[in-house]
Amino acid sequence: MEYFLQQFINGIALGSIYGLIALGYTMVYGIIGMINFAHGDIFMIGGFIALIAFLCLVALGVTAVPLALFLVLIIAMLITALYGWVVERVAYRPLRHSFRLAPMLSAIGMAFVLGNFVQIAQGARVKPLPPLIPGGLILIDNGGFVVQVSNVQIIVVLTTLALMVIFSLIVARTRLGRDMRACEQDRTMAALLGVDTDRVISTTFVIGAALAAVAGFMYLIYYGVIDFYIGFVAGIKAFTAAVLGGIGSLPGAMLGGLAIGLIETMWSAYFSVQYRDVAAFSILIVVLIFMPTGLLGRPEIEKV
Amino acid sequence: MNGGDTILDVVHLSMRFGGIVAVKDLSFSARRGGITALIGPNGAGKTTVFNCITGFYKPTTGMMRLGHAGGREFLLERLFDFRIAKLARVARTFQNIRLFSGMTVLENLLVAQHNPLMSASGYTLLGLVGFPGYLHAERAAIDLARYWLDRIGLIERADDAAGNLPYGDQRRLEIARAMCADPVLLCLDEPAAGLNAQESGALNDFLQFIRGEHKVSILLIEHDMSVVMEISDHVIVLDYGEKIADGSPRAIRDDPKVIAAYLGVADERTAEAIMEADQ
């Protein structure tokens, strides 16, 4: 039981990170019906920028950990958002009126460009970051197995929760969210009402990239290591999470992320670590057979 | 031709799709503050004209000049995408209703007020932190939406999903949404389609109100002759992409070419409609 609880906590923390990345996939899909395969690499770049920013701050003498972390987070979000904006501008917007597969191919190309760029610029070796936030809360200690929530895990889950709330409020309440939903439903009609749809799409990419940067930052402080390849693996997992939750659905992305995180952790804990990806993807297949639109997705209704 | 009292001047407009000529050398003008109807048998190219005016299609040849009351002029064929709505201030509705059906009735009307809200929200940033100017603009937007909902009798349903409204309500909501975009020219594609006699009577009043109170010029495609004859000041008849008649409703009604165009397609219902309107 204690063992299960511990794995559950680990799974939730990992799932939060996946969920944040999955949000970016699902948002972009909702608005332009395209899978942004470069999103995983945007997440990786977010992690790297966080690392670089942290080292810069240390060099500048900012050593108070909470302040440094906060600054790192803000810097990572801003610069990664810029990356997201540029990617959309360079690789997708020129292909907006092209055939459907063109932007997707372009996205796969962009993923390679970003991955290789970081590999060349930062080297292929794993970059470590010393643990910044030690300690944790001990929940159960009965002499045998100790169940503990580390402070990093608490930060990861709370940050994710806060972002989810803020993000849902933006989508539900603000002008921007309204425009996003309008573009999602009928982009041409939105344009006919004077909405600059290109700008709304750009903003979507910027927000998605900023969320991915937060995920990258949390990955960095959670695992303490980062390399240019994490974008691929985490990207695929988060994409799976978005599909599992029902692509296009925002709560679905979060739910899917948590589900994938939990499946992976539980499988590693009780069966074998090597096959955890197999487990995650198998569950995806099973879910899609019985619920083709994912857990919370709505069936696609063709417009007449 | 292009005096201060002409809102839209269409000159030598042609639209070809491959070998098909949908609109052929069409010229007409619409009077400011008037209701201009575009009629004709099915496939005459009426909707194609609308699509050219609202930027859906790039016309093969021709010019469409829109003049604001202040003297500013726009060449619609040179404006892209959302700029036709934002700068030239042309709004339109569709034959098959295109509301944002998953959003609420109120939200539909607020999306149409995107541009004033956009500048007030300082491109989102100020809006997020609740800048007072933005809150004020948001309140004004809701007031305007409320005003139109009151007009079309849907104030009670403001928070329902637009897709759940009955058909006639959706039609009126689409017109109200177009009005929220603050247009100078409102293009309505068959607003009376699918409405019963009573509803189309109410539509007439509503359109008269828009023209009278809000000084918005209306360009109308309509098959329902009771609507066309009763409210339009000026009728243009298209057949096979060409203009065959142009004049007041009374003159159009007696024009033998128009009668031939309608009767020629053996559409008895249309012929009857013309007869009815005559009485």
Side-chain angles (χ1 to χ4, degrees):
Chain A
M1 186 59 213
E2 286 83 5
Y3 186 60
F4 175 82
L5 194 59
Q6 181 66 62
Q7 294 311 324
F8 185 79
I9 292 165
N10 295 346
I12 294 285
L14 179 64
S16 301
I17 296 178
Y18 286 154
L20 277 184
I21 312 174
L23 275 182
Y25 278 104
T26 220
M27 269 164 69
V28 166
Y29 181 84
I31 215 157
I32 54 176
M34 175 200 122
I35 303 296
N36 176 16
F37 280 109
H39 193 62
D41 291 274
I42 292 283
F43 152 76
M44 177 269 295
I45 282 182
F48 266 94
I49 291 171
L51 179 62
I52 294 168
F54 187 78
L55 296 178
C56 288
L57 284 179
V58 170
L60 287 173
V62 183
T63 46
V65 170
L67 174 68
L69 287 180
F70 180 72
L71 287 176
V72 163
L73 186 62
I74 298 299
I75 294 169
M77 284 173 80
L78 288 178
I79 299 182
T80 314
L82 192 65
Y83 269 93
W85 183 80
V86 171
V87 165
E88 193 271 335
R89 197 64 216 238
V90 169
Y92 307 146
R93 191 181 295 187
L95 299 172
R96 182 85 26 91
H97 300 290
S98 181
F99 61 104
R100 241 180 113 80
L101 278 179
M104 206 177 81
L105 293 175
S106 177
I108 294 172
M110 207 63 213
F112 280 108
V113 169
L114 292 176
N116 286 318
F117 162 64
V118 172
Q119 186 185 3
I120 290 167
Q122 299 294 323
R125 244 182 292 169
V126 172
K127 305 270 181 255
L129 181 75
L132 298 170
I133 310 163
L137 272 177
I138 292 171
L139 295 181
I140 301 173
D141 185 0
N142 55 10
F145 193 84
V146 181
V147 179
Q148 163 174 307
V149 191
S150 72
N151 286 338
V152 176
Q153 284 172 331
I154 294 174
I155 290 178
V156 166
V157 172
L158 286 184
T159 312
T160 306
L161 216 61
L163 281 172
M164 266 311 276
V165 170
I166 292 172
F167 185 68
S168 312
L169 284 179
I170 289 180
V171 171
R173 297 277 172 80
T174 66
R175 192 218 84 241
L176 174 65
R178 219 155 43 216
D179 291 347
M180 283 165 71
R181 281 178 292 143
C183 285
E184 183 184 337
Q185 298 205 353
D186 190 340
R187 187 138 46 95
T188 332
M189 192 64 234
L192 282 173
L193 291 169
V195 177
D196 184 347
T197 50
D198 277 338
R199 172 177 268 139
V200 175
I201 292 169
S202 280
T203 315
T204 309
F205 272 85
V206 163
I207 294 176
L211 291 177
V214 178
F217 164 80
M218 297 198 305
Y219 184 95
L220 180 71
I221 58 168
Y222 191 48
Y223 287 107
V225 289
I226 191 171
D227 64 68
F228 78 97
Y229 200 63
I230 60 161
F232 178 74
V233 182
I236 293 280
K237 292 275 175 56
F239 170 58
T240 310
V243 174
L244 181 66
I247 193 135
S249 151
L250 300 175
M254 211 55 230
L255 186 68
L258 290 177
I260 294 282
L262 282 173
I263 292 165
E264 230 186 272
T265 324
M266 291 300 172
W267 189 276
S268 314
Y270 289 103
F271 301 100
S272 77
V273 180
Q274 284 87 349
Y275 283 101
R276 60 171 188 195
D277 296 352
V278 176
F281 293 123
S282 307
I283 299 249
L284 171 75
I285 292 171
V286 172
V287 169
L288 287 186
I289 287 173
F290 293 105
M291 306 169 81
T293 54
L295 297 173
L296 299 183
R298 277 166 308 189
E300 185 102 341
I301 299 162
E302 199 59 47
K303 276 177 224 138
V304 187
Chain B
M1 190 79 175
N2 181 38
D5 55 3
T6 304
I7 183 148
L8 177 73
D9 236 339
V10 173
V11 186
H12 298 304
L13 178 75
S14 291
M15 182 75 216
R16 281 191 199 92
F17 300 100
I20 299 166
V21 183
V23 177
K24 191 172 168 190
D25 198 24
L26 172 71
S27 299
F28 70 89
S29 52
R31 208 172 53 78
R32 185 182 311 287
I35 298 184
T36 307
L38 209 53
I39 66 170
N42 285 331
K46 303 175 300 276
T47 300
T48 307
V49 173
F50 263 36
N51 284 343
C52 289
I53 292 171
T54 50
F56 258 46
Y57 298 151
K58 286 280 130 208
T60 316
T61 59
M63 186 179 82
M64 296 167 295
R65 185 170 45 211
L66 183 113
H68 283 186
R72 281 188 78 187
E73 284 199 346
F74 299 89
L75 293 175
L76 297 182
E77 72 277 9
R78 296 198 185 162
L79 288 179
F80 285 95
D81 206 40
F82 70 97
R83 289 181 189 84
I84 289 183
K86 184 179 177 180
L87 303 175
R89 291 163 63 197
V90 177
R92 81 171 280 185
T93 65
F94 285 84
Q95 207 170 325
N96 47 339
I97 301 168
R98 287 178 78 165
L99 290 168
F100 302 116
S101 50
M103 298 169 75
T104 68
V105 169
L106 178 66
E107 283 176 332
N108 266 278
L109 299 184
L110 292 179
V111 169
Q113 302 180 59
H114 163 88
N115 283 312
L117 286 175
M118 185 78 174
S119 40
S121 71
Y123 300 92
T124 308
L125 292 175
L126 297 177
L128 283 182
V129 296
F131 186 69
Y134 174 69
L135 295 180
H136 186 260
E138 179 96 14
R139 221 167 303 136
I142 290 174
D143 283 345
L144 182 63
R146 200 190 291 270
Y147 166 80
W148 283 108
L149 286 178
D150 233 0
R151 274 317 317 174
I152 60 175
L154 287 180
I155 195 86
E156 304 284 313
R157 307 207 59 177
D159 292 326
D160 292 353
N164 294 343
L165 293 180
Y167 182 84
D169 289 348
Q170 293 198 13
R171 280 238 168 261
R172 287 201 308 264
L173 178 59
E174 206 185 15
I175 297 173
R177 183 179 64 177
M179 285 307 297
C180 281
D182 189 26
V184 295
L185 177 66
L186 179 62
C187 301
L188 304 173
D189 195 343
E190 296 199 25
L195 301 186
N196 60 32
Q198 191 193 349
E199 286 173 322
S200 73
L203 176 76
N204 282 355
D205 296 342
F206 186 43
L207 295 184
Q208 301 271 28
F209 165 80
I210 287 174
R211 186 253 304 262
E213 290 287 307
H214 291 269
K215 309 290 176 229
V216 172
S217 317
I218 296 177
L219 187 62
L220 180 76
I221 293 179
E222 193 46 75
H223 279 305
D224 186 335
M225 288 301 148
S226 66
V227 174
V228 172
M229 294 299 161
E230 188 176 320
I231 65 169
S232 51
D233 312 304
H234 180 183
V235 180
I236 294 144
V237 190
L238 293 185
D239 194 20
Y240 295 108
E242 285 184 89
K243 185 166 86 174
I244 59 170
D246 182 340
S248 69
R250 178 169 294 278
I252 291 297
R253 207 156 41 183
D254 302 331
D255 191 319
K257 273 166 97 181
V258 177
I259 296 169
Y262 274 99
L263 294 180
V265 294
D267 188 344
E268 284 173 35
R269 272 188 45 230
T270 322
E272 272 169 26
I274 295 179
M275 301 289 215
E276 262 171 39
D278 257 329
Q279 288 155 11

